[in-house]
Amino acid sequence: MSGQGTGPVRRGLGPWRHGDSGRSPLDRLPRAGDPDALRRQHLLRVRGRSVAWIPPLLVLVTILQVDWYTGGEFRTVSWIVLVPGIAAAICGVWGTAVFAVLGVATYALADHAWPRQYQTGLPDFILVGVGGVLAVLACVVRVRGERRMLHMRDVAETTRRTLLRPLPPGWGGLDHAAVYLAADAFARVGGDFYDIQPGLHGTRALVGDVQGKGLGAVEAAAALLGTFREAGYHEPELASVAARLETRIQRHGLHLAALGAGEDVDRFATAVLLGFPVGEPDIVEVVNFGHEPPLVVGPRGVRSLPPGHGLPLGLGELAHMDGPPPTLRIRLAPGETLLVVTDGVTEARNGDGVFYPLKSLVREGVLADPQLTEPDRLVTFVRDGTLRHGGGHLADDTTIFAVRRS
C-alpha cells in the first residue's frame, strides 16, 4: 500500500524501499501523481539553496535589453507585466511581491529614459501595476493550495505507515523484503496489506488484497492486520489464526451493515497466511484464501505451491465452509525464498494486452543470476519487470513480498 508510487525496495517496508540493490531507469522518471510543488522544490534548488528568483530576473533583464535595442517605434517595456506572473508560478509570496514592486519601478525608470514621444505612458504603467497585484494574489492561492496538498500527503503517509508498519531487518528470524506501489499515487495507500508477526509459537506472515479500492478497502485491510498481529502472536496453530481472520472480516461486514455502509459490507479479501514453526527450520505452513499461489524461488529453479482450495476471506460463510482452508506443510530447501504478489503483478498488461509472465521471467532471472533468490534482489527484479511490462502504469495496487528464514 507505500506510494506511495515507485522506488528502491525497502526491506520490510512498503512503498518503497530499503536495501536498494540498484535503481531502475523508471525510478528516474517523474512519478505519476507526485505533487508539482515537490518537483519544483527539487528543480529550483542548487546545493540546498533556492534559485527560483533567477528565471523572472532573467526575463526582466531580457525585456529591458530588447526594449533598449529595438528603437522607439517598437517598445517592449510593458512586457514587464510578465515578470511577476512568472514569479507567482515558482517563487514564494514575498518573492513575487518583490518582483511586482521591482517591475513597476523598472517600468517607470525605463519608460522615462526615452523621449516623450516614445513613452508608453500611463495606461501601460497601470497595466504593470495591476498585473503585479494579481500575480501576488495568485501566488497566495497557489502557496495555500500546495500547503494543503502537502499536509494531505503527510496524512496519507502516516496512514500508510500505520497500516504497513516498518519491519526491522531479520524480524522474527526472517530475511524479508517488500514493496508496495499504490495505483492511486495521491492516496499512497490502498487495499493491499502485508505484515510479519513473531509470536509464542513461531513467526507468521500475512499478505493479502482487499477487493475494491478507496477508504473502504483500507478499513478492511486495517481490521485484518489488527487481528493478525494479535492472533499471530498468541494462537498455537496457524489454522486458529486463519479462523480468527475469517471471523474478523465477517464482524467487520456486520459493523458496516449496521452503519448502513452499502456495498462496502460485501468486501472480501484474498490472502496467503504463512507460518514458520519453531523447531522445524525446513518447514513452512501455508493457508491460502483464494490468492495466487506463492512461488518458491531457489537456486535450483522456481516452482509454484499448490493452490489450495480456500475461498477468499469473507466468503467462507456464504459457501458454508466448515472451518478455515486446509493448512499445507511445505518443505523448503536451504536458500529457497517464498515470493507472494498481488494481482497488480499478475494482471499487469503490456500494450498488446499480454499479462506479465511472472514465473517464467523469475526462472530466467535466477538462471542468469543465482543471487536473485535473495529477498531484496528478488523484489527489486519483480518490481522493475512489472513496471517495465506495463509501461510504468499501474492498473491496480501492487504488493511484492519475499521472505525466507534468515
Side-chain angles (χ1 to χ4, degrees), residues 234-273:
H234 290 287
E235 294 293 346
E237 301 294 335
L238 194 66
S240 301
V241 180
R244 290 277 297 275
L245 292 172
E246 178 65 36
T247 301
R248 182 65 185 94
I249 198 167
Q250 291 179 11
R251 290 175 52 210
H252 180 69
L254 292 174
H255 177 255
L256 293 178
L259 293 174
E263 62 180 16
D264 286 344
V265 174
D266 299 324
R267 286 193 186 275
F268 60 87
T270 63
V272 173
L273 179 62

Side-chain angles (χ1 to χ4, degrees), residues 197-204 206 223-246 248 273:
Q197 180 58 60
L200 302 175
H201 308 281
T203 300
R204 277 75 183 258
L206 178 67
L224 289 170
L225 283 173
T227 297
F228 167 73
R229 288 162 184 166
E230 290 302 311
Y233 179 84
H234 290 287
E235 294 293 346
E237 301 294 335
L238 194 66
S240 301
V241 180
R244 290 277 297 275
L245 292 172
E246 178 65 36
R248 182 65 185 94
L273 179 62

Side-chain angles (χ1 to χ4, degrees), residues 8 97 111 169 179 299 327 331 385:
D111 196 38
V179 63
T327 300
R331 190 174 300 276

Side-chain angles (χ1 to χ4, degrees), residues 156-178:
E157 181 68 12
T158 301
T159 302
R160 183 190 65 78
R161 288 178 62 85
T162 301
L163 191 65
L164 297 180
R165 60 182 181 177
L167 300 175
W171 184 236
L174 301 179
D175 187 12
H176 57 84

